[in-house]
Coordinates of all heavy atoms in Angstrom, one line a residue:
G1694 N 174.1 61.9 96.0 CA 174.3 61.8 94.5 C 173.3 62.7 93.8 O 173.2 63.9 93.9
I1695 N 172.5 62.0 93.0 CA 171.4 62.6 92.2 C 170.1 62.2 92.7 O 169.8 61.0 92.9 CB 171.6 62.3 90.7 CG1 172.8 62.9 90.1 CG2 170.3 62.7 89.9 CD1 173.0 62.6 88.6
Q1696 N 169.2 63.2 92.9 CA 167.8 62.9 93.2 C 166.9 63.6 92.1 O 167.0 64.8 92.0 CB 167.4 63.4 94.6 CG 167.8 62.6 95.7 CD 167.2 63.1 97.0 OE1 167.7 64.1 97.6 NE2 166.2 62.5 97.5
P1697 N 166.1 62.8 91.4 CA 165.1 63.4 90.5 C 164.1 64.2 91.2 O 163.7 63.9 92.4 CB 164.5 62.2 89.8 CG 164.6 61.1 90.8 CD 165.9 61.3 91.5
V1698 N 163.7 65.3 90.6 CA 162.6 66.2 91.2 C 161.3 65.9 90.6 O 161.2 65.9 89.3 CB 163.0 67.7 91.0 CG1 161.9 68.6 91.5 CG2 164.3 68.0 91.7
N1699 N 160.3 65.6 91.4 CA 159.0 65.3 90.8 C 157.9 66.4 91.1 O 156.8 66.4 90.6 CB 158.5 64.0 91.3 CG 158.2 63.9 92.8 OD1 158.6 64.8 93.5 ND2 157.7 62.8 93.2
V1700 N 158.3 67.3 92.0 CA 157.3 68.4 92.3 C 158.1 69.6 92.9 O 159.0 69.5 93.6 CB 156.2 67.9 93.3 CG1 156.8 67.6 94.7 CG2 155.1 68.9 93.5
V1701 N 157.6 70.8 92.6 CA 158.1 72.1 93.1 C 156.8 72.8 93.7 O 155.9 73.0 93.0 CB 158.8 72.9 92.1 CG1 159.2 74.3 92.7 CG2 160.1 72.2 91.6
V1702 N 156.9 73.2 94.9 CA 155.8 73.9 95.6 C 156.2 75.3 96.0 O 157.3 75.4 96.5 CB 155.3 73.1 96.8 CG1 154.2 73.8 97.6 CG2 154.8 71.7 96.4
S1703 N 155.4 76.3 95.7 CA 155.7 77.6 96.2 C 155.6 77.8 97.7 O 155.0 76.9 98.3 CB 154.8 78.6 95.5 OG 153.5 78.5 96.0
S1704 N 156.1 78.8 98.2 CA 156.1 79.1 99.6 C 154.6 79.2 100.1 O 153.9 80.0 99.4 CB 156.9 80.3 100.0 OG 158.2 80.2 99.6
P1705 N 154.2 78.6 101.2 CA 152.8 78.8 101.6 C 152.6 80.2 102.0 O 153.4 80.9 102.5 CB 152.8 77.9 102.9 CG 153.9 76.9 102.7 CD 155.0 77.7 102.0
M1706 N 151.3 80.7 101.7 CA 150.9 82.1 102.0 C 149.7 82.0 102.9 O 148.8 81.1 102.7 CB 150.6 82.9 100.8 CG 151.8 83.0 99.8 SD 151.3 83.8 98.3 CE 150.2 82.6 97.6
Q1707 N 149.6 82.8 103.9 CA 148.5 82.8 104.8 C 147.4 83.8 104.4 O 147.8 85.0 104.1 CB 148.9 83.2 106.3 CG 149.9 82.2 106.9 CD 149.3 80.8 107.1 OE1 148.1 80.7 107.3 NE2 150.0 79.8 106.9
E1708 N 146.2 83.4 104.2 CA 145.1 84.3 103.8 C 143.8 83.9 104.5 O 143.3 82.8 104.2 CB 145.0 84.3 102.3 CG 143.9 85.3 101.8 CD 143.9 85.3 100.2 OE1 144.9 85.7 99.6 OE2 142.9 84.9 99.7
S1709 N 143.3 84.7 105.3 CA 142.1 84.4 106.0 C 142.1 83.1 106.8 O 141.2 82.3 106.8 CB 140.9 84.4 105.0 OG 140.8 85.7 104.4
G1710 N 143.3 82.8 107.3 CA 143.4 81.6 108.1 C 143.7 80.4 107.3 O 143.8 79.3 107.9
S1711 N 143.7 80.5 106.0 CA 143.9 79.3 105.1 C 145.3 79.3 104.6 O 145.9 80.4 104.3 CB 142.9 79.3 104.0 OG 141.6 79.2 104.5
T1712 N 145.9 78.1 104.3 CA 147.2 78.0 103.7 C 147.0 77.8 102.2 O 146.4 76.8 101.8 CB 148.0 76.9 104.3 OG1 148.1 77.1 105.7 CG2 149.3 76.7 103.7
L1713 N 147.5 78.6 101.4 CA 147.4 78.5 100.0 C 148.8 78.1 99.4 O 149.8 78.7 99.8 CB 147.0 79.8 99.3 CG 145.6 80.4 99.9 CD1 145.3 81.7 99.2 CD2 144.5 79.4 99.6
T1714 N 148.8 77.2 98.5 CA 150.1 76.8 97.8 C 149.8 76.7 96.3 O 148.7 76.4 95.9 CB 150.6 75.5 98.3 OG1 149.7 74.4 98.0 CG2 150.9 75.5 99.8
S1715 N 150.8 77.0 95.5 CA 150.8 76.6 94.1 C 151.8 75.6 93.8 O 152.9 75.6 94.4 CB 151.1 77.9 93.3 OG 152.4 78.4 93.5
E1716 N 151.4 74.6 93.0 CA 152.2 73.4 92.8 C 152.6 73.3 91.3 O 151.8 73.5 90.4 CB 151.4 72.2 93.3 CG 152.2 70.9 93.2 CD 151.3 69.8 93.8 OE1 150.9 69.9 95.0 OE2 151.1 68.8 93.1

Side-chain angles (χ1 to χ4, degrees):
I1695 290 178
Q1696 280 188 284
V1698 174
N1699 63 354
V1700 65
V1701 175
V1702 175
S1703 71
S1704 303
M1706 299 175 292
Q1707 297 295 327
E1708 182 176 296
S1709 302
S1711 300
T1712 300
L1713 303 178
T1714 63
S1715 62
E1716 184 175 307

